[in-house]
Amino acid sequence: MKRIITYGTYDLLHYGHISLLKRARELGDYLIVALSTDAFNWNSKQKKCYFSYEKRKQLLEAVRYVDLVIPEECWEQKAEDVKLYKVDVFVMGDDWKGKFDFLKEQCEVVYLPRTPEISTTQIKKELGK
Ligand code: C2G
């Protein structure tokens, strides 16, 4: 079984996220999403989420491409996660291109093209939030 992992905040889940999850899942047989916790978002990513971790987790678990959701609590957990979950492929959108190449010692690293025209920031802006 080919195991894939990807990381993110996934707030205000939209079709750009779904497209990334679909393409990530298609690279293997099992997709793990490490979902940024509220504390990690606030303290390390300066992101204030609209939905709490539990709500974002519930939404992701309803996505057909997602097999497991685990918490992302810090930047440094990736190498440990790859080992712990026996990951074969690490996947991120290409806005992160090159940032996680250090993981190539442990697994394949793939950066997939982002969906350019949509973002949570833009949704919030257009809704006047
Ligand atoms: N994404 C995408 N297209 C978009 C928006 C997002 O393909 N229009 C992808 C991103 O490239 C990322 C994933 O969807 O791979 C989740 O995006 P975010 O929730 O914005 O995640 P991010 O803040 O980039 O967190 O340790 C890594 C971080 O947790 C990544």
Side-chain angles (χ1 to χ4, degrees):
M1 170 180 328
K2 198 166 181 185
R3 302 163 65 87
I4 319 288
I5 197 166
T6 191
Y7 291 71
T9 297
Y10 289 97
D11 193 29
L12 296 185
L13 195 64
H14 56 67
Y15 66 89
H17 294 135
I18 300 298
S19 168
L20 189 285
L21 295 169
K22 179 176 190 294
R23 286 174 289 147
R25 176 66 176 72
E26 284 165 353
L27 295 173
D29 311 291
Y30 188 87
L31 175 60
I32 302 162
V33 179
L35 182 62
S36 310
T37 60
D38 296 334
F40 178 54
N41 273 310
W42 183 247
N43 298 326
S44 308
K45 295 165 83 172
Q46 288 70 50
K47 281 188 173 184
K48 175 139 183 37
C49 291
Y50 183 81
F51 287 124
S52 68
Y53 174 81
E54 281 313 316
K55 291 280 184 293
R56 290 181 286 119
K57 180 171 185 281
Q58 187 185 354
L59 283 159
L60 279 179
E61 286 173 340
V63 175
R64 68 172 61 198
Y65 309 117
V66 176
D67 296 288
L68 176 67
V69 179
I70 62 170
E72 177 186 28
E73 293 168 303
C74 64
W75 293 110
E76 299 77 18
Q77 70 183 71
K78 296 182 175 67
E80 190 53 38
D81 288 346
V82 167
K83 212 177 336 179
L84 189 63
Y85 292 94
K86 300 181 177 50
V87 167
D88 301 292
V89 189
F90 171 93
V91 175
M92 285 303 294
D94 62 4
D95 45 320
W96 292 92
K97 192 162 180 57
K99 297 287 190 304
F100 304 114
D101 287 357
F102 63 91
L103 290 168
K104 284 182 178 173
E105 289 159 38
Q106 294 177 251
C107 63
E108 204 182 327
V109 174
V110 174
Y111 300 102
L112 296 172
R114 267 176 76 91
T115 304
E117 77 279 3
I118 182 81
S119 73
T120 301
T121 310
Q122 185 187 331
I123 293 169
K124 286 180 178 175
K125 205 158 61 186
E126 288 180 18
L127 290 176
K129 279 230 178 269

